[in-house]
Amino acid sequence: MARRRQIYEGKAKILYEGPEPGTLIQYFKDDATAFNAQKKGTISGKGVLNNRISEHVFTLLGHIGIPTHFIRRLNMREQLIRQVEIVPIEVVVRNVAAGSLSTRLGIEEGTQLPRTIVEYYFKDDALGDPMVTEEHILCFGWAAQDELHDMADMAIRVNDFLSGLFAGINIRLVDFKLEFGRIWDNDYARIILADEISPDGCRLWDMTTNEKLDKDRFRRDLGGEVEAYQEVARRLGLLPDDAESAVLDLETHRKKRGK
């Protein structure tokens, strides 16, 4: 079997050359980072869970007409995706005050915002992914005006859909991050949703207890990261009630079976 050519490795995923032109294979790692990779660790089985959760969410978004890079899941840790030109902007949608918003503005974490806020951050680890305005984005050519409108419109549609989806399983969607990419058709480019949607990039709180079911458990040394990710997957119907029987790490599974 020919060795696949690695295209890119990020903090949580690796991209390999796909089987057909215009495709890539996205591999989900167990690596965990926080604070722009200043804190590093491993959450065993995270890649498997994020692959399943992201597949589920992207498939549902496709059903409501949100264009995405997702094609299909290949195995426990990999999915086939469309190759896109990533827009160097992270779009953050906030429904409840938490994280940097609470820190910057002195708003108590957990405060329901009067309206949903959409923020933009320039993707540059060396600069700490600084927050930017629409004027910055347009001035430096990171995205065109119509692309920015498409990204904002899609972000709000995704938020409306996911808020309902998670509320239905007693989870509050506090905030989340989206990334977008360009698909080229000759000289015409259109914007589609890219990257992933998982507990790595969302703040998800139990609506009854406010228990955190996301990467904040790693950021804040709360422990129970795997259990939190499993709980999200279980409530979405992606894991059996007995999570102990779920195969989250193939190597560990094989060792248990003595193979």
Side-chain angles (χ1 to χ4, degrees):
M1 181 176 173
R3 182 177 176 84
R4 296 181 303 186
R5 184 165 69 92
Q6 182 174 314
I7 304 297
Y8 169 82
E9 181 169 2
K11 290 174 284 191
K13 293 181 292 297
I14 303 174
L15 296 178
Y16 295 98
E17 189 174 47
E20 300 172 0
T23 67
L24 296 173
I25 293 173
Q26 181 168 256
Y27 175 92
F28 288 76
K29 303 193 293 184
D30 284 347
D31 295 359
T33 64
F35 314 117
N36 289 313
Q38 293 179 34
K39 179 178 181 179
K40 298 180 181 180
T42 300
I43 302 175
S44 180
K46 176 176 78 77
V48 175
L49 290 163
N50 283 350
N51 185 21
R52 288 290 284 115
I53 292 170
S54 193
E55 172 205 13
H56 181 68
V57 172
F58 271 61
T59 299
L60 293 177
L61 290 174
H63 290 164
I64 65 166
I66 300 289
T68 80
H69 74 165
F70 177 79
I71 300 174
R72 67 180 181 274
R73 183 167 60 89
L74 298 174
N75 52 49
M76 289 170 59
R77 289 186 179 271
E78 296 179 331
Q79 50 185 238
L80 185 67
I81 60 172
R82 294 178 178 85
Q83 186 169 14
V84 301
E85 177 187 320
I86 289 290
V87 178
I89 298 296
E90 291 182 353
V91 179
V92 174
V93 182
R94 300 184 183 274
N95 300 307
V96 177
S100 64
L101 181 68
S102 293
T103 304
R104 288 196 320 263
L105 303 181
I107 301 174
E108 184 178 358
E109 185 162 271
T111 302
Q112 184 70 41
L113 299 175
R115 54 172 286 177
T116 297
I117 295 174
V118 178
E119 298 176 339
Y120 303 104
Y121 294 81
F122 179 51
K123 282 173 55 65
D124 189 315
D125 286 343
L127 298 176
D129 296 339
M131 186 176 177
V132 294
T133 66
E134 289 188 19
E135 285 77 10
H136 291 117
I137 296 169
L138 298 175
C139 176
F140 297 114
W142 297 325
Q145 183 73 71
D146 60 335
E147 292 178 326
L148 201 52
H149 284 158
D150 288 347
M151 290 162 60
D153 288 347
M154 274 192 267
I156 293 300
R157 287 185 63 198
V158 170
N159 183 54
D160 289 345
F161 179 79
L162 291 187
S163 292
L165 175 70
F166 284 118
I169 54 175
N170 203 40
I171 292 176
R172 178 177 291 109
L173 180 60
V174 173
D175 57 37
F176 61 98
K177 170 184 73 72
L178 296 176
E179 293 191 23
F180 294 90
R182 297 182 183 93
I183 288 280
W184 289 90
D185 182 10
N186 295 321
D187 292 333
Y188 174 75
R190 64 186 178 97
I191 293 292
I192 67 173
L193 187 62
D195 195 44
E196 66 173 302
I197 296 178
S198 74
D200 264 12
C202 304
R203 281 193 172 89
L204 303 169
W205 295 357
D206 182 275
M207 295 182 79
T208 303
T209 65
N210 281 332
E211 187 80 11
K212 293 174 174 59
L213 302 173
D214 54 68
K215 201 168 75 170
D216 267 353
R217 304 203 68 84
F218 172 74
R219 291 188 188 99
R220 303 182 183 188
D221 297 317
L222 300 176
E225 297 94 346
V226 175
E227 292 79 6
Y229 282 53
Q230 286 179 343
E231 182 62 19
V232 173
R234 185 184 301 109
R235 293 193 196 184
L236 287 170
L238 306 176
L239 273 185
D241 288 335
D242 179 15
E244 292 299 319
S245 66
V247 179
L248 299 179
D249 187 285
L250 190 57
E251 184 177 350
T252 301
H253 179 63
R254 283 172 175 158
K255 287 179 179 177
K256 283 182 178 179
R257 296 182 63 188
K259 295 185 177 182

